[in-house]
């Protein structure tokens, strides 16, 4: 994290659903040598160890900030950068979920319709953030992600990099590309810098 987090693990007001952590652990078990257990053994912080020792219920709400040190530790075990680990995990989860609950919905939708739904899909698991976007021209979607705690911005943007192409391709798009602009601060909430970032999704059709 590039900004000091003023909360002990489990105590921040920035929350996510337990199924996000469950997906993280499934990804680690599938991709990291030794799985989730190896990651937790390497973390070394007693407060984080206590946080991760709890049971995570899919629909319950949990502090999202500990997801970053978990990912950083897992990335080191895999010999990857943090961004590479997050993108791979998001793609792993997208492939799994798109073959399940979202599969029929996406098969019935055009890439244009899907890209407009993506903000709702991506943000439904969090109590923070918003995405304001619109289609501009053919096969181009411009948007701004806002209200993201600065320590989470790399995580959020790399989730998008891993998740969006998988979902769009399931809907029939090809050559999906996501370009992210520079971050900008937009104030402080709960003692943490909040940031926004523009991004553009483009694609081709078969």
């Amino acid at each position: 994290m590039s900004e000091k987090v003023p909360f002990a693990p489990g105590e921040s007001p920035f929350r996510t659903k337990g199924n996000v952590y469950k997906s993280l652990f499934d990804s680690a078990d599938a991709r990291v040598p030794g799985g989730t257990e190896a990651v937790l053994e390497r973390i070394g912080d007693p407060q984080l160890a206590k946080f991760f020792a709890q049971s995570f219920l899919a629909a319950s709400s949990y502090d999202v900030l500990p997801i970053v040190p978990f990912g950083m530790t897992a990335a080191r075990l895999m010999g990857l950068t943090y961004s590479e680990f997050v993108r791979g995990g998001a793609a792993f989860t997208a492939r799994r979920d798109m073959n399940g609950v979202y599969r029929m919905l996406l098969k019935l939708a055009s890439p244009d319709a899907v890209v407009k739904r993506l903000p709702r899909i991506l943000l439904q698991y969090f109590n923070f953030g918003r995405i304001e976007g619109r289609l501009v021209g053919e096969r181009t979607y411009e948007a701004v992600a806002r209200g993201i705690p600065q320590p989470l911005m790399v995580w959020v943007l790399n989730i998008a990099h891993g998740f969006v192409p998988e979902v769009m391709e399931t809907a029939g798009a090809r050559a999906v590309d996501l370009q992210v602009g520079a971050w900008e601060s937009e104030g402080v909430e709960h003692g943490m810098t909040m940031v926004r970032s523009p991004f553009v999704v483009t694609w081709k059709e078969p």
Side-chain angles (χ1 to χ4, degrees), residues 12-109:
S12 97
F14 304 105
R15 317 291 287 183
T16 189
K17 297 293 187 181
N19 54 8
V20 171
Y21 275 104
K22 285 178 170 291
S23 293
L24 176 71
F25 301 149
D26 288 347
S27 172
D29 287 338
R31 300 165 59 224
V32 179
T36 297
E37 184 177 351
V39 178
L40 298 181
E41 287 176 354
R42 291 290 188 92
I43 283 181
D45 183 321
Q47 289 183 304
L48 282 171
K50 181 178 179 181
F51 174 83
F52 285 113
Q54 69 186 303
S55 296
F56 290 85
L57 304 177
S60 295
S61 176
Y62 302 90
D63 181 1
V64 68
L65 295 176
I67 213 164
V68 177
F70 183 100
M72 289 181 170
T73 302
R76 286 194 294 271
L77 286 171
M78 294 181 69
L80 300 176
T81 67
Y82 177 63
S83 292
E84 288 170 338
F85 173 78
V86 175
R87 290 187 190 196
F92 171 91
T93 299
R95 286 191 294 269
R96 183 191 64 183
D97 291 351
M98 293 310 110
N99 286 322
V101 64
Y102 296 121
R103 185 172 182 80
M104 186 56 65
L105 171 66
L106 291 171
K107 279 190 171 295
L108 296 174

Side-chain angles (χ1 to χ4, degrees), residues 71-184:
M72 289 181 170
T73 302
R76 286 194 294 271
L77 286 171
M78 294 181 69
L80 300 176
T81 67
Y82 177 63
S83 292
E84 288 170 338
F85 173 78
V86 175
R87 290 187 190 196
F92 171 91
T93 299
R95 286 191 294 269
R96 183 191 64 183
D97 291 351
M98 293 310 110
N99 286 322
V101 64
Y102 296 121
R103 185 172 182 80
M104 186 56 65
L105 171 66
L106 291 171
K107 279 190 171 295
L108 296 174
S110 68
D112 283 13
V114 169
V115 77
K116 290 188 287 187
R117 294 175 185 170
L118 281 175
R120 185 175 62 192
I121 293 173
L122 287 169
L123 295 178
Q124 66 181 319
Y125 302 109
F126 308 107
N127 72 342
F128 59 89
R130 64 190 186 278
I131 298 175
E132 302 162 353
R134 63 190 180 95
L135 287 167
V136 293
E138 285 193 80
R139 296 180 290 280
T140 302
Y141 180 80
E142 293 184 352
V144 178
R146 315 178 72 101
I148 310 297
Q150 190 271 337
L152 290 174
M153 198 56 163
V154 171
W155 179 66
V156 168
L157 293 178
N158 280 287
I159 284 178
H161 273 290
F163 189 84
V164 170
E166 294 287 340
V167 177
M168 293 289 290
E169 288 168 10
T170 301
R174 63 183 180 87
V176 180
D177 182 62
L178 188 152
Q179 296 293 324
V180 176
W183 313 349
E184 296 180 3

